Amino acid sequence: MASNGAEATENEKTIEQCYENLIVIDIGANLTNKKYSRDLDSVIQRAKDSGVQKIMVTGTSVRTSKEALRLTRIYPGTLYSTAGIHPHDAKSYTDESWEELKSLAGNPECVAIGECGLDYNRNFSEPEEQRTVFHKQIQLACELSKPLFIHEREAHEDLLAILRQYSSRLPSVVIHCFTGTTEQALAYLDQGFYIGLTGYLCKDKSDTGVRKLLVDGTIPLDRLLVETDAPFMYPNTRASKLPPHVKDALTERSMTFLHRYCTFQRNEPCSLPAIVEMIAAFMNKKPEDVALATAFNALKLFNLSQ
């Protein structure tokens, strides 16, 4: 995925801008969700106004992958798409739909394969079905040399075991919306995977989870990505368990976007700067450094154009 010199210079320019203002990239928002059907234009404009420069629209089925790709054509250079079958949807797999997904995945605006993976928490699809469809999507990502955008819930061991089977040719891997333990994060990092964090860190009350990862500096900045998973994962900055120094780190600007436009019922990409500020506070780093690193990681990993 080497980029030429001109692109590299463009990337550097973008990175300089990140210092002037919190410029961030949302690597996962479910903008095909019907909650946005009436005002998607405003949602995207607000995201840009808040500093979210690019958004990856998540495909979780053939239908939503097609819709995500359609949106990239309406908002070129701002929206990118992924194409995948979520483990919940594995049961709806057919040979016909697979051919359709493959053709969607081949488009240049589609920058990753997924959301795919394993979810043993709800088992909406049988684990065996989930594994079969996951294997097919890994093979597709290997063929197309596009990163894997992965969903994992209560299936850590199986997921790692499957991915290790492809280790010699595996493209980059993002563990999207990570909510696991320090031990699990270390196992993923050990494989060279990226970790995507969301507003879930407001909910995390465990002693071994996401917050501890950040406080201990377990996740290196060059492996970190940020996402809203909108309309889900609303970052509840008023949560009682959020440490005072983290609340104090939130700027008036990011809070205005969060509290004016986002709710538990419908989170929006414009909440991302607040998430970045919280991550930075937990890590004891400057928000612009976290914004800069995560934007750079996303540009490089997903080969995004300027």
Side-chain angles (χ1 to χ4, degrees), residues 202-303:
C202 294
K203 280 167 72 170
D204 177 38
K205 296 184 176 74
S206 71
D207 297 331
T208 60
V210 177
R211 291 184 185 183
K212 185 164 171 56
L213 282 176
L214 296 174
V215 172
D216 293 353
T218 304
I219 303 181
L221 272 182
D222 64 357
R223 289 279 150 204
L224 181 62
L225 293 156
V226 289
E227 51 181 328
T228 55
D229 202 24
F232 315 112
M233 291 292 167
Y234 171 77
N236 180 21
T237 55
R238 298 181 171 117
S240 57
K241 287 271 166 63
L242 211 56
H245 80 279
V246 174
K247 289 185 179 180
D248 292 345
L250 293 159
T251 61
E252 193 180 341
R253 188 165 185 272
S254 73
M255 286 297 90
T256 302
F257 281 102
L258 177 64
H259 293 147
R260 190 175 290 170
Y261 303 114
C262 307
T263 64
F264 280 102
Q265 281 71 42
R266 192 181 88 155
N267 188 22
E268 287 191 19
C270 70
S271 68
L272 195 60
I275 294 169
V276 168
E277 287 169 1
M278 285 190 283
I279 288 171
F282 277 115
M283 293 180 95
N284 197 20
K285 292 190 184 298
K286 293 182 189 152
E288 54 269 30
D289 289 349
V290 174
L292 183 74
T294 54
F296 179 73
N297 293 342
L299 288 170
K300 183 179 66 170
L301 175 67
F302 299 110
N303 212 16

Side-chain angles (χ1 to χ4, degrees), residues 125-253:
S125 295
E126 288 300 319
E128 194 48 50
E129 286 175 316
Q130 292 185 37
R131 289 189 286 269
T132 302
V133 176
F134 185 34
H135 273 287
K136 287 191 82 78
Q137 292 179 90
I138 298 170
Q139 288 157 11
L140 180 62
C142 292
E143 277 165 39
L144 296 175
S145 295
K146 288 190 178 182
L148 274 163
F149 192 70
I150 285 188
H151 169 102
E152 177 268 310
R153 213 157 164 209
E154 293 178 24
H156 175 76
E157 296 299 328
D158 275 14
L159 187 98
L160 266 182
I162 289 172
L163 288 168
R164 282 192 182 117
Q165 293 173 32
Y166 298 89
S167 56
S168 62
R169 58 195 182 110
L170 201 61
S172 299
V173 172
V174 180
I175 305 296
H176 140 76
C177 191
F178 180 77
T179 56
T181 63
T182 300
E183 197 182 352
Q184 289 170 347
L186 285 168
Y188 289 139
L189 291 165
D190 196 45
Q191 296 295 307
F193 301 167
Y194 289 81
I195 304 274
L197 294 185
T198 61
Y200 171 80
L201 54 96
C202 294
K203 280 167 72 170
D204 177 38
K205 296 184 176 74
S206 71
D207 297 331
T208 60
V210 177
R211 291 184 185 183
K212 185 164 171 56
L213 282 176
L214 296 174
V215 172
D216 293 353
T218 304
I219 303 181
L221 272 182
D222 64 357
R223 289 279 150 204
L224 181 62
L225 293 156
V226 289
E227 51 181 328
T228 55
D229 202 24
F232 315 112
M233 291 292 167
Y234 171 77
N236 180 21
T237 55
R238 298 181 171 117
S240 57
K241 287 271 166 63
L242 211 56
H245 80 279
V246 174
K247 289 185 179 180
D248 292 345
L250 293 159
T251 61
E252 193 180 341
R253 188 165 185 272

